[in-house]
Every structure is written in structure tokens, then in C-alpha cells.
């Protein structure tokens, strides 16, 4: 009989967060997932850092980012407050300024990028999204994919369809799963369509049908392929 794998505490923590992420993406539309995915990862990161890492600097960064998280997690998020903070708590920008080299500081760069994106400030959004450094393992891979996908969204809004398609393809490779990968394949296909690249677009839509038949995007793939012809 094969031995059952014993998970380390940090793996258990991240596993729980990953499960929550998957359930959320199943139950909600993709357009509402930006902040929530990062928030779930954020919660796991804060718990892990507080419980498993004793370095004071890292622990303090985790405490500060938790304060910014409170504004980020509200039903109606105040993205400006989440960025800048106030007398009641720090914002993502303060975490970046004081603890930018820590894991929490790195994640704060991604979250700051989301805040600026939601506020319509594409220049600052792209600036902070690019400052984020990809991390290994789950659920970090999902944040890596989301970061690239958001950069793709900005490129698309700016009319740079080629760059958008490339970034979406990178997002698929960053987290090849049944939840985020089909989303970014669909976006890559649409970006190719906008360039008039019908063959490339169809390749992305076909991959959704072949590799992710149970995904939400698979329901749209055939329709998109039909419109492409």
C-alpha cells in the first residue's frame, strides 16, 4: 500500500486557500474574480507568515497588509483607502514602501495594481503589476496568472492586441488549471480576433474544448468558433 503523503503545515494552509479559490470560481462569474482571488491568497499568506515565520520584519509586513486587506475585502471595496490607508490602518502603498522586499510586500504590489486598475488609473496599475515578482507553488501560481492577465487587460484597453494576446498566453502557462486557464485562453482568442488572426483565435478556442471541456468557457467556445468563420 502506498504511503499517504503527509503535508507540511504551510502546504495545508495553501491547500485550504486553493480549495476556496476553486469553489469561488465555480460559483461566481469570472468578471468578479479579480480581487477575490488575490484576497484568498492574501489570507493564506498572512496566516502562513504569522504562524510559520518568526522573522520580525516579515511578521510586521503581514500585520500591515492585513489592515489593507480589510478595505480590499469589503462588499463595496474602497480601493483608494486600501491603497493609501488612514489612521485606522495601513494601505498597500505603505506596506510596499516599508516592507517591499518581503513576501507580503511583493503581494501588496500586485494588490496595489488591482486597486489602480479598478480606479481606472492604467499607468499606475501597470507600474505596480510589473513590480510583482512571480512566486512558486499554489495558490501563488494563480496570482502569477492573474497578474499577467491584468496586464493583458490593460494592453487590450490600450489597443495593443498583440501584446494582450501574448500576456494572456503567458497567464495560461503560469497556472494551467480548469479555472483560470480557459478564461485567459478565451481572452487570447478574442485578442487574436481583434487583430484579424482567425486561425490563431480558433486554436485558442479549440484548446478550451479539448483541454477544459468542463469549464465555463467551454460553453462559449463553439459559439466563438462559429462566429470566427
Amino acid at each position: 500500500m502506498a504511503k499517504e503523503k503527509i503535508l507540511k503545515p504551510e502546504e495545508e494552509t495553501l491547500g485550504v486557500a486553493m480549495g476556496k479559490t476553486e469553489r469561488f470560481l465555480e460559483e461566481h462569474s469570472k468578471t468578479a474574480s479579480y480581487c477575490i482571488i488575490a484576497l484568498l491568497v492574501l489570507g493564506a499568506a498572512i496566516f502562513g507568515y504569522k504562524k510559520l515565520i518568526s522573522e520580525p520584519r516579515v511578521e510586521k509586513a503581514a500585520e500591515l497588509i492585513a489592515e489593507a486587506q480589510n478595505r480590499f475585502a469589503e462588499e463595496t471595496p474602497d480601493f483608494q483607502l486600501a491603497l493609501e490607508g488612514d489612521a485606522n490602518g495601513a494601505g498597500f502603498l505603505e506596506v510596499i514602501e516599508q516592507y517591499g522586499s518581503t513576501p507580503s510586500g511583493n503581494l501588496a504590489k500586485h494588490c496595489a495594481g488591482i486597486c489602480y486598475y479598478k480606479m481606472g488609473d492604467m499607468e499606475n496599475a501597470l507600474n505596480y503589476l510589473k513590480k510583482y515578482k512571480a512566486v512558486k507553488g499554489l495558490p501563488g501560481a494563480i496570482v502569477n496568472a492573474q497578474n499577467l492577465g491584468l496586464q493583458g487587460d490593460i494592453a487590450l484597453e490600450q489597443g495593443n492586441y498583440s501584446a494582450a494576446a501574448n500576456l494572456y498566453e503567458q497567464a495560461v502557462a503560469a497556472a494551467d488549471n480548469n479555472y483560470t486557464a480557459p478564461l485567459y485562453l478565451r481572452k487570447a482568442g478574442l485578442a487574436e480576433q481583434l487583430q484579424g488572426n482567425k486561425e490563431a483565435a480558433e486554436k485558442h478556442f479549440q484548446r478550451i474544448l479539448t483541454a477544459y471541456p468542463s469549464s465555463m468557457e467551454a460553453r462559449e467556445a463553439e459559439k466563438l468558433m462559429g462566429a470566427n468563420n
Side-chain angles (χ1 to χ4, degrees):
M1 180 181 296
K3 292 184 178 180
E4 183 178 352
K5 180 181 178 181
I6 301 175
L7 295 178
K8 298 178 182 179
E10 60 267 29
E11 292 176 328
E12 292 178 348
T13 300
L14 296 180
V16 169
M18 183 61 185
K20 290 181 179 179
T21 300
E22 292 178 348
R23 287 196 298 274
F24 177 86
L25 288 172
E26 275 188 320
E27 297 169 0
H28 296 74
S29 68
K30 54 183 172 291
T31 55
S33 65
Y34 285 132
C35 295
I36 303 298
I37 293 175
L39 181 58
L40 292 173
V41 175
L42 184 62
I46 291 168
F47 180 87
Y49 299 151
K50 281 189 173 181
K51 300 297 183 182
L52 305 175
I53 301 176
S54 61
E55 297 177 14
R57 181 174 173 80
V58 174
E59 187 171 329
K60 181 60 178 178
E63 291 173 1
L64 288 182
I65 203 171
E67 296 171 1
Q69 172 199 356
N70 292 333
R71 284 67 181 272
F72 203 58
E74 293 175 355
E75 186 174 343
T76 305
D78 188 331
F79 295 111
Q80 188 77 41
L81 190 58
L83 272 172
E84 299 178 355
D86 60 12
N88 295 317
F92 293 123
L93 295 181
E94 182 178 344
V95 177
I96 295 168
E97 181 179 359
Q98 295 190 34
Y99 303 99
S101 62
T102 67
S104 292
N106 185 43
L107 187 56
K109 295 168 187 175
H110 175 72
C111 293
I114 295 176
C115 290
Y116 279 119
Y117 179 83
K118 290 295 185 179
M119 293 163 60
D121 186 343
M122 298 302 149
E123 182 177 353
N124 272 317
L126 189 58
N127 180 37
Y128 279 95
L129 289 171
K130 286 185 174 181
K131 289 181 178 180
Y132 169 80
K133 294 182 180 180
V135 297
K136 296 180 180 180
L138 291 173
I142 293 181
V143 178
N144 299 342
Q146 185 191 56
N147 185 278
L148 291 163
L150 282 167
Q151 291 186 51
D153 291 344
I154 293 171
L156 195 72
E157 290 190 25
Q158 294 174 338
N160 194 342
Y161 305 135
S162 177
N166 181 262
L167 285 161
Y168 292 141
E169 289 169 6
Q170 290 182 53
V172 173
D176 191 356
N177 58 68
N178 200 51
Y179 301 96
T180 61
L183 166 62
Y184 294 123
L185 279 172
R186 176 181 177 276
K187 289 190 173 189
L190 293 173
E192 294 291 4
Q193 278 187 336
L194 289 169
Q195 299 178 83
N197 298 334
K198 292 185 177 182
E199 185 176 341
E202 185 166 334
K203 183 178 179 180
H204 291 308
F205 299 145
Q206 184 59 55
R207 184 178 170 189
I208 295 174
L209 288 172
T210 303
Y212 312 101
S214 62
S215 67
M216 293 174 59
E217 284 72 19
R219 303 171 193 172
E220 304 175 47
E222 289 185 352
K223 184 188 299 184
L224 291 168
M225 289 175 68
N228 198 40
N229 296 321

